[in-house]
Amino acid sequence: MKLINYLIIQIIPFLPKIFVRLVASPYIAGITDDEMLTNVKKLNDKGYDVAIDILGEHVATKEEAAEITKRYANLYDRIALQDLDANLSIKLTHIGQDLGYDLVKDNLMILIDAAKKHDNFLRLDMENSPYTSETINLYKKVFENYSNVGIVLQAYMHRSMDDIDTLANEMFNVRICKGIYVENENIAYRGYQKIRDNYIALVQRALIKGSYVGIASHDEYLIDKLYIWIKENKISTSQYEFQILHGVPMEKKLQQLIKEGNKVRVYVPYGDNWYDYSIRRLKENPKMAGYIIKNIFSKIFSR
Ligand SMILES: Cc1cc2nc3c(=O)[nH]c(=O)nc-3n(C[C@H](O)[C@H](O)[C@H](O)COP(=O)(O)OP(=O)(O)OC[C@H]3O[C@@H](n4cnc5c(N)ncnc54)[C@H](O)[C@@H]3O)c2cc1C
């Protein structure tokens, strides 16, 4: 079965896009704002908070960067209008980080003002290592204007513990994830367990320092270990939340966490740029592609 799943993943990029769309559809919350907002409402009704992400990164022109910034800013209005439990999570390269510091800072300030207007929150996703230091510097800059902003640190990066030590305090809001990009071993851990161990250490250090932590992982080993530690150390439920990606099948576990008084946030990506994101997610979990394809064929053949 593992070999079949592996082969499916190798073949998927060569298949028609319509097929990839079908296989990847659980990961994407729609193409339009309206489709996505309908899905956010459904998730809220099931007890989940949401972080919205417009799919895409590395825009090539300042016009594109301005358009995405405007689209994000409008989302804060729509979230408020529809009274949704949702904030935004953006990639700085999507609002122009490759086009210069001043441009990305100006666009970021537009989003900070929009978030402020609605007392909402903005998180800066963490991209690959050439962007890490500048992302942290921009975070610090906008934090001076508005404290309802957060950042992401990646457990595979050697530097993350130092970053926690420098940044973490009672006002610091951090999502901790394993890290998705391919990084050089000079700067990033490679071993699966080594990354897990660092993940646990980072979350614990941030919580001990009084920060708010988004525990972003589907790794049940991490979720269970950290949850036990959180309970043993009497960490308040107002100091952390669990975060998962839309479409990852963990409903039973998440509903149990919500029942026990924990906040669970679903990261909801949507938009036209669904293709690259879908391939990335399917590569992360070939089993998912296998199940879905089996399902499609069993439906076709049971007609
Ligand atoms: C809310 C959220 C935000 C994120 N933001 C960032 C970011 O800003 N920067 C960044 O570099 N990375 C980000 N990531 C990605 C993250 O770094 C990991 O690459 C990704 O979450 C997989 O790691 P894992 O902790 O789930 O563990 P893994 O070891 O990859 O997975 C553990 C188990 O979870 C299940 N699983 C994992 N992925 C999937 C999937 N796609 N579909 C179905 N099942 C799956 C599998 O059963 C797997 O065995 C984010 C992840 C989440 C959940």
Side-chain angles (χ1 to χ4, degrees):
M1 191 63 193
K2 262 191 176 161
L3 180 67
I4 294 174
N5 291 336
Y6 174 78
L7 288 175
I8 289 170
I9 287 301
Q10 299 309 306
I11 292 165
I12 276 180
F14 301 100
L15 295 175
K17 273 197 171 183
I18 181 88
F19 187 81
V20 179
R21 174 86 206 276
L22 201 64
V23 176
S25 60
Y27 292 121
I28 313 294
I31 303 293
T32 65
D33 292 359
D34 286 341
E35 282 168 1
M36 175 276 292
L37 290 165
T38 303
N39 275 316
V40 170
K41 173 81 178 81
K42 282 185 194 155
L43 287 163
N44 284 173
D45 289 346
K46 285 190 194 164
Y48 299 109
D49 287 59
V50 166
I52 299 169
D53 165 64
I54 303 174
L55 287 167
E57 52 205 2
H58 301 291
V59 291
T61 64
K62 61 178 196 293
E63 289 75 20
E64 263 183 282
E67 193 187 311
I68 294 296
T69 305
K70 194 168 162 213
R71 192 165 171 198
Y72 267 125
N74 287 340
L75 283 180
Y76 279 123
D77 294 333
R78 303 265 328 248
I79 290 167
L81 200 69
Q82 298 185 33
D83 200 20
L84 298 169
D85 284 323
N87 59 37
L88 302 185
S89 197
I90 65 155
K91 290 185 175 49
L92 286 177
T93 66
H94 205 192
I95 57 162
Q97 196 172 11
D98 297 319
L99 305 171
Y101 181 85
D102 287 342
L103 184 131
V104 71
K105 193 177 104 242
D106 290 349
N107 286 340
L108 187 52
M109 283 315 299
I110 292 173
L111 295 183
I112 291 292
D113 287 343
K116 214 178 193 175
K117 186 172 132 198
H118 294 295
D119 194 20
N120 204 323
F121 178 84
L122 178 70
R123 187 174 304 280
L124 312 183
D125 284 354
M126 189 57 80
E127 298 179 71
N128 48 338
S129 56
Y131 299 98
T132 310
S133 293
E134 190 174 88
T135 302
I136 290 175
N137 289 339
L138 277 160
Y139 158 76
K140 286 199 231 160
K141 191 100 213 130
V142 294
F143 187 84
E144 289 166 13
N145 290 283
Y146 188 53
S147 60
N148 228 349
V149 56
I151 205 167
V152 178
L153 292 175
Q154 297 149 321
Y156 65 12
M157 293 295 284
H158 295 168
R159 61 175 285 167
S160 291
M161 190 55 90
D162 289 341
D163 288 330
I164 289 270
D165 282 338
T166 323
L167 295 165
N169 55 35
E170 284 86 10
M171 299 292 285
F172 185 53
N173 186 320
V174 63
R175 171 196 300 149
I176 297 179
C177 64
K178 284 186 181 173
I180 187 78
Y181 304 91
V182 179
E183 297 290 358
N184 193 290
E185 63 188 335
N186 296 332
I187 57 167
Y189 300 113
R190 283 282 163 80
Y192 195 70
Q193 191 57 37
K194 184 93 192 150
I195 295 169
R196 275 176 159 174
D197 292 345
N198 199 40
Y199 191 108
I200 289 173
L202 289 168
V203 172
Q204 290 176 343
R205 182 78 64 94
L207 287 171
I208 286 166
K209 285 180 150 234
S211 305
Y212 188 90
V213 182
I215 302 169
S217 178
H218 317 108
D219 187 342
E220 298 205 18
Y221 167 92
L222 286 181
I223 295 173
D224 293 346
K225 274 223 156 196
L226 283 166
Y227 192 35
I228 289 169
W229 183 88
I230 279 168
K231 285 194 281 192
E232 279 171 1
N233 288 275
K234 302 195 170 27
I235 304 287
S236 160
T237 49
S238 64
Q239 217 194 313
Y240 66 92
E241 64 188 38
F242 294 98
Q243 298 186 350
I244 61 131
L245 300 177
H246 188 265
V248 177
M250 298 182 69
E251 187 74 8
K252 205 167 149 204
K253 186 165 195 82
L254 301 178
Q255 283 298 326
Q256 185 59 32
L257 286 169
I258 291 173
K259 219 157 116 194
E260 288 169 24
N262 301 286
K263 188 179 272 194
V264 177
R265 188 176 302 276
V266 181
Y267 184 97
V268 165
Y270 81 106
D272 301 320
N273 282 318
W274 53 269
Y275 183 79
D276 290 343
Y277 178 83
S278 304
I279 297 287
R280 211 188 276 173
R281 294 280 88 89
L282 290 169
K283 278 191 175 159
E284 247 170 20
N285 193 17
K287 249 195 286 175
M288 185 100 165
Y291 287 145
I292 296 168
I293 288 170
K294 245 177 49 196
N295 241 337
I296 293 168
F297 282 111
S298 70
K299 274 184 194 139
I300 292 170
F301 292 117
S302 62
R303 275 182 190 156

